[in-house]
Amino acid sequence: AWIDSSDSWDHGGLPRWLWTLTDIYCESRSGFVFEPNLERMGLVVDALANRSRGLINLPRGSHRVDLTRAMMEPGCTYVLELNVTSRWEAHSSTFWRMKKANPSSEDPEWDPGCDWSCNVATCEPPAQCGRDGLCICAPDYYGSFCSGKCPLCNPLGSFGCNDGRTGDGTCM
């Protein structure tokens, strides 16, 4: 995603841009609030700082900031501020929210077809993220993001639920 503020204000020419991250909060689909990944948050902060005024190669900053999909963490909402200063030292600020959504399918077997950052938003508790970046489902949960809950299986004639990341939630 990119953000372009070049047509946002009548700034009289020679504006100076200051981009900042003022807040970040993260929540899973089920409402579990979690702490953001500090490394990813640092990538967003760095991207904003590298387009803000005061740099040797961009003394006035830039009207445009590029935030890649890999920088933003699924389930997190970023509160950003842009402050533009005109040549007459008049300031104008605006705040907005930018969210990287969680995987949105209600189908537990849905596969997004691309890599997702493994975090609480993409790996619903009580599941956990494995070292390989994939969800490790708790017993009786299934699907790519461990968001499917197995039905109660009849103990007579059933071995239990086909659970786990590659399971489909059927009784076996």
Side-chain angles (χ1 to χ4, degrees), residues 23 36-37 40 42 52 57 59-60 63 75 82 89 91 95 120 124 126 130 138 146 149 151 156-157 168 172:
D23 195 12
N37 178 296
R40 283 179 178 257
S52 291
N57 60 334
R60 293 184 304 123
H63 67 278
L82 171 62
E89 295 301 316
H91 297 274
F95 293 86
V120 176
E124 286 283 331
C146 302
K149 176 79 171 121
L156 301 174
D168 61 7
M172 303 183 294

Side-chain angles (χ1 to χ4, degrees), residues 31-103:
F32 182 82
V33 176
F34 62 96
E35 291 295 316
N37 178 296
L38 295 179
E39 183 178 327
R40 283 179 178 257
M41 187 172 71
L43 294 174
V44 172
V45 169
D46 288 347
L48 297 173
N50 288 334
R51 305 305 280 173
S52 291
R53 62 182 173 234
L55 300 172
I56 292 173
N57 60 334
L58 285 171
R60 293 184 304 123
S62 176
H63 67 278
R64 181 176 166 147
V65 171
D66 295 306
L67 299 174
T68 67
R69 182 172 62 125
M71 289 178 184
M72 299 178 73
E73 187 170 9
C76 293
T77 300
Y78 299 80
V79 180
L80 305 167
E81 178 185 10
L82 171 62
N83 178 279
V84 178
T85 305
S86 74
R87 67 168 58 191
W88 303 286
E89 295 301 316
H91 297 274
S92 179
S93 288
T94 189
F95 293 86
W96 72 96
R97 288 173 166 63
M98 180 180 271
K99 180 175 184 175
K100 182 170 182 181
N102 300 325

Side-chain angles (χ1 to χ4, degrees), residues 2 20 63 111 127 145 167 172:
W2 53 268
T20 53
H63 67 278
D111 185 350
F145 305 106
M172 303 183 294

Side-chain angles (χ1 to χ4, degrees), residues 113-131:
C114 61
D115 292 337
W116 277 84
S117 166
C118 192
N119 70 7
V120 176
T122 59
C123 198
E124 286 283 331
Q128 296 180 355
C129 293
R131 290 180 188 244

